[in-house]
Amino acid sequence: WVEDRTIVLRPTVSMHGVNLVRAKNTRVLNRSEYNIVIVGSVQQRKGQHLIPIISELVAKSVRNVKFHIVGHIVNIQYKKEIEALVKTLKQEDKIVFHGFKEDYLAYMNSADIILQVSEEEGVSRILREAMALSKVIVSFKLDGTNDLLVNGEDCLLSEYGDLKNISKQIVELSKDKKLMKMLSINAINNFDKKYCKSQYLLQLKEIFKNEK
């Protein structure tokens, strides 16, 4: 190329489902529990094997915590290994596998926290949907996640594999309603500013304009 021709178009989300659960305030989880929802296919790179360890650490301080794993089971053996760890760490009453759910957005809308523990992600659709639902996000610092969010402003991030810190963040959130509210408000504001459909269309028009 004679010049740099790199074009970046920030992705949005399909707002139909998001607007539906927001309008109906659809909730499918027990409100008396502190619900942490993890959405993604159950496979090694999505990191669900870390959930039992995080659960054990968090449950010491948050007795009503419940981790909900929502997603298609890609690797049955991997799921069995997680279940064995759940049993070893005595977290059977804290962790639930829901499997694939067409209405996964309702589970996200029911969450106190959206947790992502993947070892690699692009610009995560789940995190964009979480932002659109004004949800508090806790995740690892990955390249794609860093492009979406700002630690301490609209989410809480930990270095990959730092389970003690990510567990500490979850406990802190359970005790700090002001922090929860601040992260929730900033998440939706970030989404509206950068990732909503109107912004997507503006970016697209600008790209076509510059290509003339």
Side-chain angles (χ1 to χ4, degrees):
W1 299 99
V2 178
E3 57 182 309
D4 183 4
R5 302 284 290 174
T6 301
I7 296 172
V8 177
L9 180 61
R10 289 195 190 102
T12 183
V13 300
S14 175
M15 290 301 297
H16 175 72
V18 169
N19 288 334
L20 200 60
V21 296
R22 282 200 305 199
K24 293 183 178 180
N25 197 22
T26 308
R27 295 183 180 273
V28 294
L29 302 177
N30 188 338
R31 290 174 186 248
S32 67
E33 294 175 328
Y34 196 69
N35 294 301
I36 300 174
V37 173
I38 305 96
V39 179
S41 55
V42 178
Q43 53 181 309
Q44 184 77 29
R45 72 178 182 85
K46 291 293 186 178
Q48 291 95 348
H49 60 282
L50 303 176
I51 300 301
I53 304 168
I54 294 171
S55 176
E56 183 188 34
L57 291 170
V58 171
K60 293 175 182 177
S61 301
V62 187
R63 293 188 177 183
N64 66 332
V65 69
K66 185 83 79 171
F67 291 81
H68 302 270
I69 300 174
V70 181
H72 174 61
I73 311 300
V74 172
N75 188 327
I76 296 294
Q77 182 56 39
Y78 177 60
K79 178 176 180 283
K80 289 180 179 178
E81 290 170 5
I82 298 171
E83 289 174 327
L85 183 57
V86 168
K87 189 173 181 180
T88 298
L89 298 179
K90 299 179 180 179
Q91 298 301 302
E92 296 97 322
D93 63 333
K94 301 295 183 184
I95 300 172
V96 181
F97 280 93
H98 293 277
F100 170 75
K101 295 289 182 182
E102 287 189 8
D103 62 341
Y104 71 94
L105 287 171
Y107 286 80
M108 291 177 65
N109 199 51
S110 302
D112 294 288
I113 293 173
I114 299 297
L115 175 63
Q116 192 169 81
V117 288
S118 305
E119 61 184 47
E120 58 181 29
E121 283 287 343
V123 184
S124 169
R125 174 174 58 86
I126 295 302
L127 294 188
R128 281 180 276 128
E129 289 171 335
M131 294 161 65
L133 289 168
S134 305
K135 290 299 165 182
V136 175
I137 296 168
V138 176
S139 181
F140 289 133
K141 292 179 182 178
L142 304 175
D143 287 343
T145 304
N146 287 333
D147 289 338
L148 271 175
L149 302 160
V150 178
N151 183 34
E153 292 187 15
D154 49 22
C155 67
L156 292 181
L157 303 179
S158 295
E159 295 298 331
Y160 179 76
D162 191 344
L163 304 189
K164 287 185 178 179
N165 193 61
I166 209 168
S167 301
K168 181 181 177 182
Q169 289 173 337
I170 293 171
V171 172
E172 179 184 6
L173 287 166
S174 73
K175 298 176 181 178
D176 193 337
K177 291 183 179 180
K178 287 185 179 179
L179 178 59
M180 288 279 290
K181 186 175 182 180
M182 183 270 284
L183 294 174
S184 171
I185 291 171
N186 287 348
I188 184 63
N189 286 344
N190 185 11
F191 179 82
D192 287 341
K193 183 179 178 181
K194 298 179 181 178
Y195 303 103
C196 67
K197 187 175 180 180
S198 61
Q199 286 299 316
Y200 179 85
L201 293 175
L202 283 174
Q203 293 176 68
L204 193 59
K205 287 178 182 178
E206 191 65 24
I207 287 171
F208 285 134
K209 177 183 175 181
N210 292 335
E211 284 299 297
K212 289 182 179 179

